Amino acid sequence: MNFDRLKEKLEILADAAKYDVSCSSSGGTRKNKKGALGDSSISGICHTYTEDGRCVSLLKVLLTNHCIYDCAYCVSRSSNDIKRAAFTVEEVVDLTINFYRRNYIEGLFLSSGIFKNADTTMERLVRVAKKLRLEENFNGYIHLKSIPGASDELMQEAALYADRLSINLEIPTESGLKLLAPEKNRADMISPMRYIQNGISLYNDEKKIFRNVPKFAPAGQSTQMIVGATNENDLQIIKVADHFYKNFNLKRVYYSGYVPVLEDKRLPSLTTEVPMLRENRLYQSDWLMRFYGFKAEEILDPNIPFLDLEIDPKLSWALRNLNQFPINLQTADYRMILRIPGIGVKTAKKIVHARRFQVLNIDHLKKLGAAVNRAKYFIDFDAGNMYLRYLTDKNFRKLLIGGSSSKFQNQFSQQLTLF
Amino acid sequence: MITLLYDGSFDGLLTAVFEVFEYRYKDVEIFNRERFHQENIFAEIHEVITQNDKAERVLSKLEQNIGKSGINQLLKVFLSEDPESEQIILSAIKQSIQHPVENILQNYADNDILKISKICKSVDRERHRMTAFVRFEKMQDGVFFAKIDPDFNVIPLIRKHFKDRYQDQKWMIYDLRRNYGILYDLENCDFFYPDEKLNLDQYQQKFHEEEAQYQKLWQRYFTKTNIVERKNLKLHIQHVPRRYWKYLTEKS
């Protein structure tokens, strides 16, 4: 093994892969076989965090950053004058296994620039996964990037060896995609996704009848959208996400605030701030849709197409729907308790358990972990609640913002503080 | 006030709890014998001798009332080494005997139960972090060795995780603070208790010849996968508190 050359390649190909957001290793169900290496747990493990605060769970690299496409937002685009490199299949396998053995990672996230054409590239990605599974007896997590336009046969093989597959939608709107990635089209992205989706539902049917059906993309599919490279609004983004959750059974949609790295007249200028707060609000909305029972239409509507940057989306919903409040902690059902600003899934569950034993008051709520500074205005306690009088106050919103400043406010601002 | 002294094992603690009921003690405190310093010379001392059948009887009663997961929670409180842990566990067991039908561990409005839930949360977090932040280093004899120094005694809680994961390599995890560990030799996965602290002098000279190379590759990967434009050290430290940095190859 030539470690110096390997190190050089790793530096180039990790650097080029870093803008891909997905790094989660969750949803894996692959158990270790006797005497083999690796085991995947449903919740996944973040093994470390980069200095930008993002989790590192998988070895996330490109197989190569050679690319025939010239997408404006991508550092690996063909017209960009950068160092190029390509791993051999053996090198990726060796890095994965040796990092895994030292407990640095949960597995591999392998993406690639497109060299030659879709199938040649996809075939190479599949070969890495196949070698890991069949020759190295590796049962850790493998996430492969599906290449738009890849054939059904290759997608079939990919799904047999990988845990998760993903295709990045990149730009939320078709017009935006046309502008920034004229050589790509939505149809080429959709068709491998559709193939995997059908395969997964077929697998689930067969699983009910036969015991030993080989796993087929057990951790499902995900995608990512870049936010802020074109002028789409948050409503459009949430609608796209909702569409893919509903019609493609996606496990996750990731949002990536555009980091301006390239000079191009079609793109925001290099001095534009990364829209971190907006990205954060989109993730909060995503959580509301996946875990809190909110519909996309409830989070935003055509009259207000952007998420409120001052307050979180749940609080924002509550302010628009004051008629739903106050909610009685002792009698309301779980679904409504989840809708109280400042109460999360875990606290809501604790409330439903604890109220069987005694009547809850505001002190209990604090101890159970609710953000009482927000929640207190929306709850009716059996003993009464003096904060309820603010519900009808015209300046309620101001009061709320004054009383609870977002913990992200300073963190996500790139403005330097003087002292 | 009666003071029960036990040997510091979980079975010993359960034996002590059994004897609280057996002798109908009302006003009691339970202490680990090794950590006990007698302050009140008039206190009545009751020495507990660990008896597995007594511990078993407490366990089976508990399993009926609060289930295996409830016992697991009490075990986590025990492993937290919290100075109040014996008192809290006794309180929970008493409540569980009084209300056998309900799972009293869900009564979060009770102070002792809330403490249990909080301690479990801390211990779980530490356990999870130990599955994440353990870094094995390959030694000349092919064993993958990791040293840890967690705030809570989590080794019993991570054994299965690593056992499931690494079946085709020999490995060891050693708790520096508590001077014991787990060892997997391709067949068995057992605790080991050395008489003296392991001698880790010239540790790095005993590395396998390729170890330094993979460490360097990992460090370079860690640096290169960071997006400088998004730098957020506050968030970074929130996720990886400084006290864990000593474990992390990428941080050295």
Side-chain angles (χ1 to χ4, degrees), chain B residues 16 18 50 73 103 109-111 113 116 146 171-172 175 208 238:
Chain B
F18 185 91
T50 302
Q73 276 170 277
N103 182 356
D110 176 86
N111 270 334
I113 301 297
I116 290 180
W171 54 266
M172 258 170 106
D175 186 329
H208 191 275
Q238 189 182 315

Side-chain angles (χ1 to χ4, degrees), chain A residues 4 46 87-88 97 107 111-112 139 171 178 189 222 289 320 342 346 349 387 400-401:
Chain A
D4 287 340
C46 304
F87 279 129
T88 64
I97 294 291
S111 178
S112 183
N139 296 300
I171 305 297
K178 272 236 147 49
M189 294 174 172
S222 65
M289 294 200 285
R320 279 179 278 123
K346 279 187 186 155
K349 284 187 179 151
Y387 293 101
L400 278 168
I401 295 174

Side-chain angles (χ1 to χ4, degrees), chain A residues 104-376:
Chain A
Y104 299 161
I105 52 167
E106 285 295 286
L108 174 68
F109 175 24
L110 189 60
S111 178
S112 183
I114 320 285
F115 60 99
K116 242 163 118 183
N117 58 44
D119 273 357
T120 320
T121 312
M122 193 70 219
E123 190 267 335
R124 198 78 59 94
L125 296 178
V126 170
R127 228 188 310 151
V128 172
K130 204 169 171 174
K131 192 174 166 71
L132 278 167
R133 295 282 188 237
L134 301 184
E135 289 175 34
E136 303 286 337
N137 286 317
F138 177 68
N139 296 300
Y141 196 85
I142 301 178
H143 179 157
L144 290 186
K145 190 47 62 83
S146 317
I147 304 298
S151 68
D152 289 354
E153 292 74 29
L154 281 167
M155 291 310 297
Q156 171 74 22
E157 267 214 295
L160 287 178
Y161 300 112
D163 292 288
R164 176 169 284 181
L165 292 157
S166 69
I167 280 199
N168 289 352
L169 290 168
E170 306 289 17
I171 305 297
T173 60
E174 274 194 80
S175 57
L177 189 67
K178 272 236 147 49
L179 178 73
L180 297 184
E183 300 139 319
K184 282 191 182 161
N185 70 65
R186 266 283 142 87
D188 280 352
M189 294 174 172
I190 304 284
S191 100
M193 266 176 153
R194 186 61 83 190
Y195 183 81
I196 296 298
Q197 188 210 352
N198 292 338
I200 291 174
S201 78
L202 195 68
Y203 166 82
N204 287 334
D205 290 345
E206 284 182 14
K207 188 82 193 160
K208 286 177 199 146
I209 308 168
F210 307 107
R211 267 181 61 220
N212 292 319
V213 189
K215 283 191 189 311
F216 193 91
Q221 300 193 81
S222 65
T223 191
Q224 103 170 27
M225 292 186 271
I226 299 172
V227 176
T230 49
N231 56 4
E232 71 288 325
N233 64 40
D234 294 335
L235 178 61
Q236 285 170 304
I237 295 173
I238 289 179
K239 285 277 191 193
V240 173
D242 191 45
H243 171 79
F244 279 90
Y245 281 131
K246 280 195 185 127
N247 299 309
F248 287 81
N249 292 323
L250 282 209
K251 281 282 156 65
R252 281 291 295 273
V253 175
Y254 292 90
Y255 309 93
S256 160
Y258 175 68
V259 182
V261 280
L262 298 165
E263 188 72 69
D264 187 304
K265 59 182 188 308
R266 291 167 291 173
L267 287 168
S269 80
L270 282 179
T271 55
T272 315
E273 263 191 29
V274 182
M276 307 267 262
L277 190 51
R278 187 179 173 199
E279 179 189 295
N280 179 249
R281 292 281 182 246
L282 280 166
Y283 276 116
Q284 288 175 326
S285 312
D286 202 69
W287 248 253
L288 290 186
M289 294 200 285
R290 291 191 297 135
F291 304 117
Y292 288 76
F294 280 82
K295 296 197 176 78
E297 303 80 55
E298 290 182 287
I299 297 166
L300 287 172
D301 67 56
N303 300 320
I304 30 162
F306 280 97
L307 291 163
D308 197 326
L309 292 184
E310 279 184 325
I311 54 177
D312 70 74
K314 196 199 218 181
L315 185 53
S316 175
W317 172 86
L319 285 178
R320 279 179 278 123
N321 294 276
L322 288 176
N323 59 326
Q324 308 254 5
F325 297 97
I327 286 170
N328 187 308
L329 219 49
Q330 216 60 35
T331 56
D333 70 2
Y334 172 71
R335 202 177 50 88
M336 279 317 287
I337 289 180
L338 265 185
R339 293 200 163 211
I340 301 170
I343 290 183
V345 172
K346 279 187 186 155
T347 310
K349 284 187 179 151
K350 278 187 185 167
I351 289 171
V352 177
H353 283 308
R355 69 183 183 186
R356 292 188 289 131
F357 294 90
Q358 55 193 291
V359 175
L360 300 178
N361 60 37
I362 194 160
D363 286 333
H364 291 132
L365 201 59
K366 200 174 275 177
K367 285 186 190 162
L368 294 180
V372 173
N373 60 345
R374 267 171 289 156
K376 66 186 176 193

Side-chain angles (χ1 to χ4, degrees), chain B residues 152-165:
Chain B
F152 308 122
N153 182 12
V154 294
I155 278 196
L157 302 173
I158 59 174
R159 176 167 161 262
K160 181 173 185 314
H161 171 86
F162 285 102
K163 184 173 166 267
D164 288 344
R165 175 163 299 217

Side-chain angles (χ1 to χ4, degrees), chain B:
Chain B
M1 174 71 75
I2 294 163
T3 303
L4 281 77
L5 297 183
Y6 74 107
D7 61 2
S9 69
F10 193 52
D11 279 343
L13 176 57
L14 294 178
T15 308
V17 171
F18 185 91
E19 294 186 353
V20 170
F21 285 94
E22 188 179 13
Y23 298 107
R24 297 175 198 275
Y25 290 145
K26 284 284 168 297
D27 195 12
V28 292
E29 48 184 15
I30 304 178
F31 278 104
N32 181 337
R33 191 172 296 134
E34 276 160 36
R35 281 189 228 143
F36 180 68
H37 305 288
Q38 188 159 17
E39 280 157 9
N40 179 0
I41 52 162
F42 298 109
E44 195 181 327
I45 303 279
H46 173 110
E47 292 275 350
V48 176
I49 298 158
T50 302
Q51 283 169 267
N52 287 338
D53 57 325
K54 287 185 178 179
E56 274 305 318
R57 281 176 64 183
V58 177
L59 275 180
S60 68
K61 188 77 198 163
L62 278 176
E63 196 175 332
Q64 283 171 26
N65 293 2
I66 56 173
K68 280 215 166 68
S69 79
I71 294 173
N72 213 345
Q73 276 170 277
L74 298 185
L75 178 65
K76 281 174 194 162
V77 174
F78 176 73
L79 294 174
S80 75
E81 301 172 346
D82 187 296
E84 286 184 69
S85 59
E86 288 94 350
Q87 268 41 261
I88 301 172
I89 290 171
L90 178 62
S91 157
I93 296 178
K94 274 182 171 170
Q95 290 190 45
S96 156
I97 303 289
Q98 269 169 20
H99 308 279
V101 187
E102 297 275 8
N103 182 356
I104 48 93
L105 291 180
Q106 290 178 343
N107 181 14
Y108 301 105
D110 176 86
N111 270 334
D112 284 338
I113 301 297
L114 191 68
K115 266 185 210 155
I116 290 180
S117 141
K118 285 198 166 141
I119 291 174
C120 282
K121 194 175 168 189
S122 306
V123 173
D124 275 331
R125 186 165 48 211
E126 183 93 334
R127 185 206 78 86
H128 184 79
R129 280 172 168 163
M130 280 306 111
T131 62
F133 296 157
V134 160
R135 295 285 179 264
F136 287 112
E137 295 173 303
K138 192 176 182 181
M139 310 306 282
Q140 280 160 8
D141 56 7
V143 174
F144 285 79
F145 182 81
K147 36 193 193 342
I148 62 172
D149 173 23
D151 279 2
F152 308 122
N153 182 12
V154 294
I155 278 196
L157 302 173
I158 59 174
R159 176 167 161 262
K160 181 173 185 314
H161 171 86
F162 285 102
K163 184 173 166 267
D164 288 344
R165 175 163 299 217
Y166 298 110
Q167 295 191 16
D168 71 341
Q169 68 189 40
K170 291 182 184 173
W171 54 266
M172 258 170 106
I173 300 175
Y174 176 58
D175 186 329
L176 293 164
R177 194 184 302 185
R178 296 168 188 84
N179 188 35
Y180 83 113
I182 8 175
L183 167 68
Y184 174 71
D185 61 3
L186 297 181
E187 282 179 24
N188 299 307
C189 184
D190 292 320
F191 297 104
F192 66 92
Y193 304 88
D195 294 335
E196 286 170 41
K197 293 212 165 198
L198 291 192
N199 180 9
L200 297 175
D201 283 352
Q202 298 166 342
Y203 172 62
Q204 289 173 355
Q205 289 171 24
K206 293 172 193 154
F207 278 170
H208 191 275
E209 54 180 21
E210 61 183 31
E211 179 56 28
Q213 298 287 0
Y214 283 107
Q215 294 199 4
K216 198 173 283 170
L217 285 168
W218 175 240
Q219 286 157 357
R220 293 310 299 157
Y221 174 76
F222 180 73
T223 310
K224 282 294 172 181
T225 198
N226 175 44
I227 298 177
V228 181
E229 293 87 339
R230 298 180 58 124
K231 183 166 176 161
N232 188 343
L233 270 184
K234 194 182 157 201
L235 188 60
H236 173 69
I237 290 170
Q238 189 182 315
H239 287 311
V240 196
R242 282 182 196 274
R243 67 188 177 94
Y244 295 104
W245 289 15
K246 58 180 181 286
Y247 304 119
L248 297 172
T249 312
E250 62 271 22
K251 281 290 182 189
S252 56

